[in-house]
Amino acid sequence: MSKQFDVVVIGGGPGGYVAAIRAAQLGFNTACIDEWKNDKGGPAPGGTCTNVGCIPSKALLQSSEYFEHAGHSFADHGIGLKDLSIDVAKMLGRKDAVVKQNNEGILYLFKKNKVSFFHGRGAFLKAGDSGYEIQVTGATEEIISGKHIILATGSNARSLPGAAFDEDKILSNDGALRIGAVPKRLGVIGSGVIGLEMGSVWRRLGADVTVLEGLPTFLGAVDQQIAKEAHKSFTKQGLKIELGVKIDKVTSGKSSVTVTYANAKGEATKLEVDKLIVSIGRVPNTIGLNPETVGLKLDERGAIAVDDHCRTNLPNVWAVGDVVRGPMLAHKAEEEGVAVAERIAGQHPHVNFNTVPWVIYTSPEIAWVGQTEQQLKAEGREFKAGTFPFLANGRARAMGDTTGMVKMLADAKTDEILGVHIVGPFASELIAEAVVAMEFKASAEDIARICHAHPSLSESTKEAALAVDKRTLNF
Ligand code: FAD
Ligand code: NAI
């Protein structure tokens, strides 16, 4: 007789492990199956985010930013350094230790919340009257069954046709986080989130980085005033960004990779690099899940088809995170995971896609929530815009980091905040205030009337709100 659970979660990334914890909190007998292995073959729950995504990339961004500061901005503060160097092995070791801490943290949380963890791959075996049988294979070999199944199997990096990832010279996010020595020449295909974050890491450490982007617009989904400011900064830092290219082929040689492409003018061009990161988006992952066994429907992109409430076409089977529609973000996956557990418990949660924040952890950081100016214009919605530059913010001046601005967009009549866009220091933290404001349907005037600590970067958000009404105090 197989072990019976109320809820079985397949996938232990941010969508899955959080869903499992919430389900257990709600009193369900819950299991979570995850197949990720650490370098010793042991369990490493946390998914892409913890193992080869959010957490390790932020660890390397932090290390490389310290290195950049030490080399460039410390002198302005009167701090002298001789013989600055980077120990890449140590930096990677620290990153691995941070990842391990997070893996262990999740295993601890499973224990604390009495979630049964199974290390292995979960696959549909069959559907029965009282739920679904799931075959676990790998480190654990077992059949378990669940009345409710939550699928959170995540996504994988998309490769370029004819240029499979070898993780040595042609790198996905995985290899990009494990380059053992600073490459002299680094190529990046795709100037999206991964391309800019990983390109920044290795540029700061001394690589000559060229980013090739297919679209003619830089960060097309970002408010274009913000994107232009970011582009200016990245270019000044030495990141070479070529827009509107068409990749022809990628040839891997003995010690280098050559990318042949047409540049924006249509001219045939070659780029030879030591390492090439391909970051052209990610594809939903259902490998090994056996969706066909139970008739689980996928959409045309290969994502598990779900409705607004993360229900699949099968009764009591739910799916969340990167494997379904919507932005591929850890916090979106988590929100969906929690909401599904609560729906199973008969509650009525709501995930508001309009207030999911985006952050790109470059320097300057880019963060936004809500609609961009170009989206509002396309919709024909009347709006007011207010911007405030960090150049006029006391804290930013004291920090010596005055790049960028806060931009607020509000409805022309009601003053409701429709979008907030930030490029500059700690944009990732500042955006939280905007998310709260939008979730509570605040007006720009609400933010303008709230007391913000002085001196703080958050005063720029208040000033941007004042700018919506054309009455900044400090600019
Ligand atoms: P995943 O995290 O991919 O987890 C899926 C898990 O399921 C994996 O552990 C996988 O092994 C397991 N699995 C799959 N199939 C099976 C099976 N059949 N049986 C058992 N286990 C299975 N997002 C942010 O919000 N902020 C960031 O800063 C950020 N940085 C990123 C940086 C990089 C380099 C990358 C690649 C991504 C980043 N993301 C970031 C995106 C984020 O990692 C994903 O949106 C998030 O991990 C999705 O969570 P998930 O739970 O849906 O899937
Ligand atoms: P992306 O979608 O952010 O960017 C891909 C870029 O590649 C786009 O600009 C696209 O136009 C370009 N592109 C696509 N095909 C191309 C081709 N053939 N030639 C040249 N350019 C091409 O995808 P990315 O960077 O791979 O990241 C995947 C996802 O992971 C992100 O969309 C995001 O959801 C998540 N992520 C989130 C992070 C964060 O929240 N800070 C950090 C990193 C990743």
Side-chain angles (χ1 to χ4, degrees), residues 12 33-34 47-48 59 62 74 96 110 125 134 143 167 207 240 245 263 295 302 307 309 346 378 401 418 448:
I33 310 168
D34 187 81
T48 301
Q62 194 64 51
F74 276 15
D96 292 341
F110 280 163
L125 203 56
I134 306 292
I143 293 171
E167 305 299 2
K240 292 177 211 141
V245 310
N263 68 15
D307 67 8
H309 294 130
D401 193 353
L418 302 174

Side-chain angles (χ1 to χ4, degrees), residues 20-71:
I21 290 173
R22 186 71 189 118
Q25 282 176 347
L26 289 163
F28 294 113
N29 180 16
T30 305
C32 182
I33 310 168
D34 187 81
E35 64 176 337
W36 208 294
K37 290 187 188 129
N38 61 25
D39 52 6
K40 294 192 180 68
T48 301
C49 170
T50 302
N51 293 294
V52 290
C54 324
I55 302 298
S57 61
K58 265 80 259 179
L60 295 189
L61 278 156
Q62 194 64 51
S63 301
S64 60
E65 192 168 0
Y66 284 150
F67 182 73
E68 173 124 307
H69 281 313

